Amino acid sequence: AALLSLTCDDTAAEKAADLALRQINADRNEGYILSLYRIFSVREHPQEITGSVFYLILDVVDTECHVLSKKLRKNCMARFDHTTAYGQCKAIIYINQARNFAHLNTYECILQPVPPRYIWTVCPDCPVDDNPAEPKYLKAAVQSLAKFNVKSEQTHYFSVPNVTRASMQWVEGPAYFVEFLIQETSCSKNDTIADISKCKPLSSELAQIGFCKGSVVNSHLEQEQFVTISCEIYSLQ
């Protein structure tokens, strides 16, 4: 059969894009849930038996939900334009409507952050995304997590396997903003632990995981440090 070019507002095109992005988000284990910005192009290859293969190019942006949350993208908050990562996903998906079946054959997504020059134009005082692997951001994440470990009702301490997003801003001193994953360790909260980084993470089959957003704001005027933290703990997959 011939390869058909569909308009981007075609019902079949919209359904194929929705199903493809849903399966892409379910398959990824790093980064954030992606949301559809627009359908860039879609081609349909009807099969001999009921069903079609769709070749899609989708413009996407990331949301505030980590992929490990397994949330639907409609339940995830969009990021502000100057903080989002954007890019394209190319996908091939087979859909058989008669059998209510869809299979994502292959996909590739390439994302990039908004250029700093755009952020400075739109919001000159906003923090700009930085390399989350820098030690200062891991330190900020650990400081934020310490507050969670004290206040949470979890039975074990959690540690920071990696920082997923980070930025810095100068207010009355350096202010660090971090997003990071957390993993349950073998150390019980009934014990006094001097250094949680020495606690071994539980195995992936047993450990609860979570996602946190934290900040460490240093005020030179008040000679104080202000720490915030909010976390979501995900059910064992």
Side-chain angles (χ1 to χ4, degrees):
L3 199 61
L4 309 176
S5 291
L6 303 182
T7 59
C8 294
D9 60 354
D10 185 281
T11 302
E14 291 178 344
K15 182 172 183 179
D18 178 69
L19 289 170
L21 195 52
R22 189 179 302 180
Q23 293 194 23
I24 288 170
N25 282 326
D27 183 69
R28 295 167 64 236
N29 54 25
E30 292 184 354
Y32 296 83
I33 296 288
L34 299 176
S35 182
L36 182 64
Y37 180 69
R38 67 174 177 177
I39 300 172
F40 184 80
S41 74
V42 55
R43 291 178 295 167
E44 180 183 4
H45 187 189
Q47 305 298 291
E48 292 181 3
I49 306 175
T50 305
S52 292
V53 175
F54 292 87
Y55 299 84
L56 302 161
I57 300 178
L58 309 175
D59 288 340
V60 296
V61 292
D62 68 352
T63 67
E64 294 194 355
C65 298
H66 196 276
V67 292
L68 296 182
S69 70
K70 301 301 181 184
K71 293 180 179 179
L72 296 176
R73 68 179 189 275
K74 68 179 181 180
N75 298 327
C76 295
M77 288 188 62
R79 293 183 183 272
F80 293 114
D81 288 347
H82 64 275
T83 64
T84 191
Y86 65 96
Q88 277 192 337
C89 291
K90 296 180 179 179
I92 302 173
I93 187 170
Y94 169 73
I95 299 175
N96 187 321
Q97 293 192 31
R99 293 168 51 199
N100 195 26
F101 174 80
H103 175 71
L104 184 69
N105 294 333
T106 183
Y107 73 92
E108 179 187 27
C109 296
I110 298 176
L111 299 172
Q112 59 186 359
V114 172
R117 63 181 180 275
Y118 172 79
I119 298 174
W120 293 327
T121 301
V122 175
C123 184
D125 297 326
C126 290
V128 177
D129 279 359
D130 200 0
N131 180 6
E134 289 195 21
K136 62 187 177 184
Y137 295 120
L138 176 59
K139 181 180 178 182
V142 169
Q143 284 180 274
S144 298
L145 182 60
K147 188 172 184 177
F148 171 81
N149 276 327
V150 169
K151 293 192 171 185
S152 80
E153 297 180 357
Q154 301 294 322
T155 57
H156 290 82
Y157 289 103
F158 281 71
S159 62
V160 182
N162 70 304
V163 180
T164 57
R165 204 163 191 144
S167 59
M168 178 184 172
Q169 183 180 32
W170 194 271
V171 189
E172 296 174 355
Y176 303 98
F177 306 94
V178 285
E179 298 179 12
F180 53 96
L181 293 175
I182 60 174
Q183 184 171 351
E184 188 178 9
T185 73
S186 57
C187 294
S188 170
K189 290 184 70 174
N190 292 328
D191 302 325
T192 302
I193 307 296
D195 186 357
I196 294 173
S197 66
K198 299 292 192 294
C199 296
K200 291 183 178 181
L202 291 175
S203 67
S204 57
E205 294 82 12
L206 299 175
Q208 292 190 101
I209 55 172
F211 176 68
C212 301
K213 296 179 181 180
S215 66
V216 177
V217 178
N218 298 281
S219 172
H220 292 338
L221 291 178
E222 300 182 39
Q223 298 296 310
E224 280 192 70
Q225 190 175 71
F226 302 93
V227 178
T228 67
I229 184 72
S230 63
C231 297
E232 289 184 339
I233 303 298
Y234 304 137
S235 300
L236 294 174
Q237 300 299 320

